[in-house]
Amino acid sequence: RGNFAYHAMGHTFFIEDGVEHYNRLEGNLAIKTIPSMNLLNTDQTPACFWIVTGVNYVINNHAVASRRYGFWFRPERTVTGTSVNTPMKDHPINIPVLEFRGNQAHSNGKYGLRIFDIFLPNDVSVFQDTFVWRNGKAGFTATVVGKVGFDGMIAVQNGHVVFEGRENYVESWDENYIRNALFVDWVPLPLA
């Protein structure tokens, strides 16, 4: 809790393999995350917060000026890294988010919040009260998702679009939604 990182090479705060459960990333600040060509492949397109499994608490963090992503939620199909042989009941792409709320992302190269590539949780996963502004391409994106909801999202003055998504797999719109949101395309006033 309450950590500050500046000018980190590669992902700054991360939960990497998919077996990590009940960690608490709370009240942290990451500024200016830059690419690394010598670490993981994904470190070439770094995130201030890189999260591979949802059974964690990600609360009231700030992601600022990453070369690519503020928050990158990237559940894998299987466990990875040094934990690759760890038996698991569910795969990371099917594990619901425990708690993701009150986070802010601004001035990142591409996305404030990126959910990529496939996230099909067994139960509804809600990303709550997240504020994304002045990100290069989009405020937030969800590439291929199932039971994923966004509640209380605020997106202001992001590059090309507020939100982008490609596919969703749901039986009901109560399982996949954007609610209680405020989207502002462009304001002629400085945000600083």
Side-chain angles (χ1 to χ4, degrees):
R1 289 184 181 178
N3 296 294
F4 169 69
Y6 175 74
H7 204 253
M9 186 178 284
H11 304 304
T12 305
F13 296 98
F14 60 97
I15 298 170
E16 181 177 5
D17 290 356
V19 297
E20 305 89 348
H21 293 172
Y22 306 106
N23 294 286
R24 196 168 197 94
L25 294 174
E26 185 171 0
N28 300 297
L29 170 62
I31 299 175
K32 198 173 182 186
T33 301
I34 61 171
S36 170
M37 302 304 162
N38 299 320
L39 299 170
L40 300 172
N41 285 340
T42 59
D43 286 306
Q44 296 174 20
T45 57
C48 292
F49 294 85
W50 188 52
I51 302 151
V52 178
T53 183
V55 189
N56 293 288
Y57 301 92
V58 183
I59 303 167
N60 296 329
N61 297 291
H62 295 259
V64 182
S66 169
R67 190 71 59 87
R68 287 298 181 117
Y69 315 116
F71 294 88
W72 185 359
F73 185 74
R74 186 183 185 209
E76 298 281 356
R77 292 179 187 271
T78 62
V79 174
T80 62
T82 58
S83 304
V84 73
N85 294 318
T86 304
M88 289 187 68
K89 180 181 161 192
D90 293 312
H91 298 290
I93 64 167
N94 303 121
I95 298 173
V97 167
L98 188 60
E99 189 169 6
F100 189 101
R101 69 171 164 82
N103 297 296
Q104 297 185 34
H106 71 86
S107 307
N108 295 291
K110 284 192 112 175
Y111 303 111
L113 168 61
R114 181 184 199 205
I115 301 171
F116 177 86
D117 177 43
I118 299 171
F119 183 39
L120 304 171
N122 298 328
D123 200 1
V124 178
S125 292
V126 182
F127 292 80
Q128 296 179 302
D129 303 324
T130 300
F131 183 19
V132 291
W133 77 97
R134 282 209 167 153
N135 295 289
K137 184 171 183 185
F140 62 110
T141 182
T143 309
V144 178
V145 295
K147 300 174 183 178
V148 175
F150 299 96
D151 192 357
M153 297 292 288
I154 299 173
V156 178
Q157 203 167 331
N158 290 284
H160 301 291
V161 295
V162 168
F163 171 76
E164 68 179 23
R166 189 172 68 200
E167 295 178 50
N168 56 13
Y169 296 94
V170 294
E171 295 174 16
S172 162
W173 289 114
D174 291 329
E175 299 174 339
N176 184 260
Y177 56 83
I178 298 173
R179 295 183 181 148
N180 305 310
L182 172 65
F183 297 159
V184 179
D185 183 25
W186 181 260
V187 290
L189 303 171
L191 291 177

